[in-house]
Structure formats: structure tokens, C-alpha cells
Amino acid sequence: MSKALERIYNGLIKENPTFVLTLGMCPTLAVTTSAINGAGMGLSTMVVLVLSNVFISMLRRVIPDKVRIPAFIVIIASFVTIVQLLLQGYVPSLYESLGIYIPLIVVNCIILGRAEAYAYSNPVIPSLFDGLGMGLGFTVALTLIGACRELLGAGQLFGFQILGADNVFYQNASLRPLAMFLGEYTNISIFIMAPGAFFVLAFIIAAMNRIRRSAAKKGKQIAPASDCTGCMGKNCAECAGGSKEGASDQKQEERISKDSGSAADEETASKDGGSAADEETASKDSGSDAKPEEAAKNGEGESAT
Amino acid sequence: MSDLMKVSSNPHVRSKATTSNIMLCVIIALLPAAGFGVWHFGFRALMHIAITVASCVFFELLYELMMKKKVTVQDLSAVVTGLLLAMNLPVSAPWWIGIVGGAFAIIIVKMLFGGLGQNFMNPALGARCFLLISFASVMTNFDYDTVSGPTPLAQLRAGGLETNTVLDMIFGNTQGTIGETSMVALVIGACFLILMGIIDLRIPGSYIISFVAFLVLFGENHLDMGYISAQVAGGGLMLGAFFMATDYVTRPITKKGQYVYGIFLGVMTGIFRLFGASPEGVSYAIILGNLLVPLIEKITMPKPFGRGGERA
């Protein structure tokens, strides 16, 4: 059971897909105009992530290495279609506001990334909890961003008017002074437009880094240090790969991404020095992630085609 | 900063051109237009200027103290930012607008990118565009003294000047933001800056000339002098061309680049004013120009003497 908890903690905090790994930025920036939209997107992604992780983990001995990316995509796309039809049927308003971003879950690099990095080389139960943890992390992040943007940009929170004229506090006579005070607020409408997403995301990541750094000073490591100063003075390939094979690993990964275009997102993300280091540390922690040698082997198989 | 300091061998010339001296000159040059704004719009304009300047200085101080950085408030650049931002506000705006704008200008546009010299965009204009997008109705409401009416540019767009003449626009007896109305006061300030050697005519000249050329080519009235002079005198063109496009940090450093930059600004302002959704476009044009500055510098970097050159 500790394994399951560890996976959930990992997804929620240590390797939060949005704030630490900065994966899946497209839905993060585009649909978080309100807390409801953010939560809806996060939950849909989580459902797909859990189901696809479980299925890929079950089929990991059946899927041949050479066609694993297309196989992942087929599995993920099936679940996305199910989620899409369910949303359309039961919550049409959410379906309308999320729009194209529901079908785009197929190419969300968090899902493909977890399939490749975890589910493909781990048993079913840990994969399930890995999907759950990552999905929860994504949901919490999107809801948080959505709530900040909605509150600042429209004065609302989950659809309730908190700030500005006609806020909910007017309904209670004893809260009238508070209502009058909050009623003075003028919506900063840039926050529900595209630039607002970048502002909010940047500030949340900055705050997270700050907390993590001060925790690291006290000797408590919440998450692997992902700041780039760690690379200074060290060989950069060594830092990114975490091993001597790092450099060759990376080249092979590039070749893979050329072979299968849809994996490009995930590969680019893991090439980014910080997040690659994260993955590496994580695999050491859990001890059962894909080993670098294995990845290299996969790469050779791919490049031989 | 160390990689920016390339000290050559002696002899060195001592110059009085410190940041605070230059900023002081810019403040003095802005005073006629700001003073005219206060005289024209009344006490409320002075309140906006005071709040915005105080807010810019306060947030710079606050950020530097919180981040334990060297306090650079005394270089007066925050005062200039605040003054420019206030001159870009409509007088009817609520009192807190200067505080929000000042915080955005200083913290987000300037300090987060590394402070003075590192910002990629003019802080005052960045904040003005932020306010314009966020509080569109507040920022485009130019009513004052219970007289409501469109700005001269809005009138021009609707068909022609009705309540104002071109002479009104040149002296500044029109609607508009606090500092932009009086062309005369702005040009007096600009002349002072040019005489002091702080700015030159490369950017403002190429900006205004290319803007006029654009109007002649694409405007409805082509060579109608009244229309063209109204467009030049109206809106923020003078304030933008002389005081904001020439900002040391966000303009190209190469001479050729400055002409390219000025022409780009003129064309973009023309496009925004003639074909855009709102009658004014100077601030968006300058911000877009700011973003292109690294590119402009890259393609106009002069070759060092003796290096490269033409091949026979």
C-alpha cells in the first residue's frame, strides 16, 4: 500500500505534471478560464490516464517494442472517445466549453509520457496509482489556475459571484459590510484572456519553487531540485542523462522521436534538462522505472528499422 | 551584469550622463505636457500623476527590499515610468488605476526581467496596454468636466472633426489622456531633450514621416492636409514618438536599426489607426516594435572595421 501512496504523492507534489514537469501546457493554458473548466479538463484527463495506464501495463508483454507508440495512441484514443461521448451525453455544457481540447487529450504528453515512462515497464496496480496520482496532480493544478483566473478576471469562484457588485454576500444581512467592501472590486478581465493564463501559471510555479527551495535548505527534499544551476560546472549530458550513456541515450531518443512524430512532445519534454533529471531521480527512487539501459535498448531496436 | 561591462584601455572620458541625470532631464521635458494636462483637466489629473508616480517608486522599493537587491529607486527611472504611465491615463479613471498600473509596470514588466536595462518592453506602455485590455470601458472613457464626447481621433474615424479644430488639437484643447493632448507642450519638452543630447531625431523623425507617408498612401483623404495634421497632432503619437519610442532600454542601439524601428512603428501605427478596431494604436505599435528590437539589432549590426567586407 505504501507503494500506492508513494505514487500518488509523486504525482500530486513531487513530480506534479503541470508545476514541476510543465507537461501538457496546451490544455493548461487554454481551458483554465474558470475553476469548473479546469476541474472538468483535469478529471477527464485523469480518467483517460488511469484507464490507459492500466491497459498498457496489462498489455506490456504483448505490445512489441517497435510499434509501442502507435499501440499506446490507439489505446489512449479509445478511452478519449469514451470520455468524450460520456461528457457530451451527461454534461453538455462542460463539453461545449472544453470544445476541441477533449479530443486533444489523445495527444496530451502527460498520458503518453506516463505510458512510456511508467506503465510500459511496471505492474498493473502501481500503474493504476501512478495514473491516479498524475491525474490528481493535473486536476489540482488546473483547478487552482482556473480558480485564480476566474476570481481575478470575473470575480467568481466555481460560478458563484464572490467579488464585485451583486456578490453572494449581499444575500446575508449580517455580511453586508463585507459585501460592500468586496463589491468595490473591478474585474481585471485580462486574467480570463490568454495572457492571464501565463501570468497565473508563472506566479504559481515561482511560488512552488520558492517553497521547495526553502524546504531543501532545511534538509527536507520535497521534489528533486530542478533548477538549472545544478548543471553548472557539470557535463550537461551527464546531468540530463544521469549516467555515462546519457549523451548516446539522448541521440537515440531523438531518432525515436523522428521515427514517430506523435511522441515528439514527450521526448522534447524529457530532453529539457530539468525534467529529464526529475525523471531520472524518480526512477532511482522507485527502483522499478525504466532503466536507462532499457531505454537505450529500445532506442537501438527503433533505429534499426 | 559583468558580461555587459567591457572596459577598454585608457584614456577614458568622464561623462555626466548618469542614469539619474538622464532621467531627471526626461522628467523636466515631460513637465510642460504634464503641467498642461493638470491645467486642462483639473486637480484630478494631478492626483493621478501623484498616485501613479508614488506607486511606481513604492513597488520598485518594495520589490528590491523583498528580494534583497540593491535599491535603485534614486536613479529616478521609476519616476519617469510613473509619469509616462499617468500621462497615458484618462482623467476620469478611478483613483486606484495608477496603483494597479504602477505595480504591473514595475514588478511584472521591469523587475521580473532583471530591472532597468533588462526589460524587453517599455514598462509604462506595457502597463497601459495591460490596463487597456483589463479595464477597456474605464480606459476609453474620456469624459471630463461633465462634458462627454469622442476624442479627436474617434471623430476623425467617424467622418471628420466636429467639436474640435486642428488648432485645438495642436494646443491641446481636446479630449484625451492626461499628457497626450497638447502637441505644443510635448514638442517643447522634446526640443529640450534634443538640445540636451539625450534623444535624437532618428526614431521620432522616421516614425512620424513614415506614418504620414502611410496616411497619404492608404488614408481615405490622401493629401488632405487638415486630415493629416489632425492625425499627427491627435492621440498619443507625439508622446509616443518623442518620449516612449526613444526609451534607451527598448530601442535598437544601431543607427540603421533605429531608422528601421521608426519606420516599423509608423507603419504599424498607420495600420492600427486606419484598419484596427480602435481609433488609437500608438501604444500597441511601440510594444510590437519593442519585441522586434533584438531582431532589428541582429540584422543591422555594423561590421567592425577590417572584418569581412565586400569581395571583389
Side-chain angles (χ1 to χ4, degrees):
Chain A
M1 215 55 225
S2 68
K3 181 80 183 165
L5 280 179
E6 188 269 331
R7 280 288 94 194
I8 289 180
Y9 175 74
N10 182 56
L12 258 179
I13 306 202
K14 208 167 124 187
E15 274 187 45
N16 186 301
T18 306
F19 296 140
V20 180
L21 300 182
T22 52
L23 288 176
M25 283 297 110
C26 167
T28 306
L29 296 169
V31 303
T32 53
T33 49
S34 71
I36 293 281
N37 279 1
M41 185 71 209
L43 287 175
S44 323
T45 310
M46 183 169 87
V47 171
V48 175
L49 186 53
V50 170
L51 291 174
S52 68
N53 257 13
V54 168
F55 258 74
I56 288 166
S57 178
M58 282 199 289
L59 297 174
R60 69 185 189 280
R61 305 215 188 282
V62 184
I63 301 171
D65 263 358
K66 287 181 187 174
V67 292
R68 68 186 191 288
I69 303 280
F72 295 165
I73 293 284
V74 169
I75 293 172
I76 296 166
S78 321
F79 288 119
V80 170
T81 313
I82 295 172
V83 167
Q84 184 183 3
L85 292 176
L86 286 175
L87 281 180
Q88 198 172 7
Y90 290 98
V91 268
S93 60
L94 185 66
Y95 177 78
E96 286 291 312
S97 59
L98 293 183
I100 185 68
Y101 293 98
I102 292 286
L104 281 181
I105 295 176
V106 176
V107 288
N108 190 320
C109 44
I110 299 171
I111 298 180
L112 203 59
R114 290 331 286 176
E116 173 86 1
Y118 198 87
Y120 191 54
S121 49
N122 280 292
V124 176
I125 299 296
S127 298
L128 186 146
F129 282 102
D130 182 71
L132 206 59
M134 281 286 159
L136 275 178
F138 191 59
T139 309
V140 168
L142 258 60
T143 313
L144 187 62
I145 297 174
C148 291
R149 291 180 65 188
E150 193 184 2
L151 189 65
L152 290 170
Q156 297 178 338
L157 208 53
F158 291 99
F160 294 107
Q161 196 76 41
I162 304 287
L163 301 172
D166 304 327
N167 60 49
V168 286
F169 300 106
Y170 275 113
Q171 288 161 10
N172 191 330
S174 60
L175 289 176
R176 187 144 287 256
L178 178 67
M180 303 250 289
F181 176 71
L182 294 179
E184 291 294 313
Y185 183 77
T186 310
N187 294 335
I188 310 177
S189 41
I190 200 169
F191 277 102
I192 47 174
M193 299 179 209
F198 287 94
F199 290 146
V200 171
L201 181 67
F203 273 98
I204 295 178
I205 291 181
M208 292 266 302
N209 283 347
R210 162 106 200 178
I211 294 169
R212 201 181 312 138
R213 197 166 296 171
S214 59
K217 258 182 205 161
K218 285 176 201 155
K220 214 172 76 182
Q221 195 159 15
I222 293 184
S226 65
D227 45 358
C228 218
T229 49
C231 272
M232 298 287 264
K234 261 196 273 173
N235 181 3
C236 213
E238 197 178 296
C239 194
S243 66
K244 281 173 204 160
E245 297 142 315
S248 59
D249 248 16
Q250 223 164 7
K251 265 183 211 155
Q252 269 150 359
E253 269 175 15
E254 266 164 46
R255 241 176 275 156
I256 298 172
S257 68
K258 261 179 222 159
D259 287 350
S260 46
S262 50
D265 284 8
E266 187 239 329
E267 301 291 356
T268 341
S270 66
K271 244 179 273 163
D272 166 14
S275 50
D278 288 352
E279 299 263 12
E280 208 49 47
T281 332
S283 74
K284 264 173 217 154
D285 285 357
S286 58
S288 52
D289 261 353
K291 294 280 183 295
E293 298 92 80
E294 216 172 285
K297 203 174 65 197
N298 292 346
E300 273 156 30
E302 197 70 25
S303 55
T305 53
Chain B
M1 284 298 278
S2 59
D3 53 337
L4 292 175
M5 302 256 281
K6 293 228 170 86
V7 180
S8 61
S9 59
N10 56 8
H12 301 295
V13 178
R14 272 193 166 271
S15 162
K16 282 186 181 161
T18 61
T19 309
S20 49
N21 278 348
I22 291 172
M23 292 298 167
L24 191 65
C25 286
V26 177
I27 293 171
I28 293 170
L30 281 170
L31 282 181
F36 180 85
V38 173
W39 176 77
H40 182 51
F41 291 108
F43 174 73
R44 205 179 159 80
L46 187 64
M47 178 200 81
H48 273 305
I49 293 175
I51 288 180
T52 316
V53 171
S55 150
C56 284
V57 174
F58 171 75
F59 281 111
E60 180 154 326
L61 191 65
L62 183 76
Y63 182 90
E64 284 169 343
L65 290 180
M66 272 176 67
M67 297 294 152
K68 301 188 179 64
K69 286 185 187 301
K70 195 173 154 238
V71 172
T72 55
V73 171
Q74 71 283 357
D75 71 11
L76 296 179
S77 64
V79 177
V80 171
T81 299
L83 197 54
L84 279 175
L85 177 59
M87 291 170 76
N88 274 303
L89 298 174
V91 76
S92 58
W95 60 271
W96 45 262
I97 202 113
I99 299 178
V100 178
F104 187 86
I106 294 298
I107 294 183
I108 300 204
V109 185
K110 187 174 162 193
M111 298 318 277
L112 285 185
F113 288 89
L116 185 67
Q118 312 285 323
N119 48 307
F120 68 106
M121 183 188 271
N122 186 319
L125 276 181
R128 177 189 149 97
C129 291
F130 170 79
L131 296 173
L132 207 55
I133 294 170
S134 296
F135 312 106
S137 59
V138 168
M139 289 294 285
T140 51
N141 173 16
F142 292 107
D143 300 348
Y144 76 99
D145 281 353
T146 67
V147 185
S148 67
T151 59
L153 281 183
Q155 294 173 32
L156 273 180
R157 199 181 173 84
L161 290 178
E162 279 166 12
T163 51
N164 300 116
T165 62
V166 174
L167 214 58
D168 277 345
M169 294 174 68
I170 289 173
F171 286 106
N173 190 22
T174 59
Q175 309 278 59
T177 66
I178 292 171
E180 75 179 10
T181 54
S182 173
M183 183 175 170
V184 171
L186 285 168
V187 170
I188 290 173
C191 288
F192 172 74
L193 281 189
I194 292 166
L195 288 178
M196 295 293 289
I198 291 176
I199 62 170
D200 50 53
L201 274 174
R202 271 181 228 121
I203 291 173
S206 54
Y207 186 175
I208 294 168
I209 290 170
S210 62
F211 175 64
V212 170
F214 188 90
L215 282 183
V216 170
L217 287 176
F218 298 102
E220 290 164 24
N221 317 44
H222 296 292
L223 280 169
D224 178 359
M225 280 325 282
Y227 177 77
I228 288 173
S229 49
Q231 279 282 8
V232 171
L237 183 64
M238 285 295 145
L239 185 61
F242 285 108
F243 294 97
M244 297 195 281
T246 55
D247 174 11
Y248 277 15
V249 180
T250 53
R251 69 170 193 195
I253 50 170
T254 56
K255 283 181 186 171
K256 237 189 277 172
Q258 293 181 358
Y259 290 115
V260 175
Y261 177 69
I263 292 168
F264 175 82
L265 296 185
V267 171
M268 287 314 289
T269 307
I271 291 176
F272 282 132
R273 280 198 184 175
L274 292 182
F275 309 115
S278 85
E280 176 60 298
V282 170
S283 29
Y284 289 125
I286 297 180
I287 278 195
L288 277 175
N290 287 166
L291 296 182
L292 287 184
V293 162
L295 208 63
I296 295 173
E297 281 178 349
K298 203 173 173 186
I299 57 168
T300 57
M301 196 59 79
K303 283 200 183 97
F305 182 69
R307 186 88 55 87
E310 305 277 321
R311 274 189 198 165

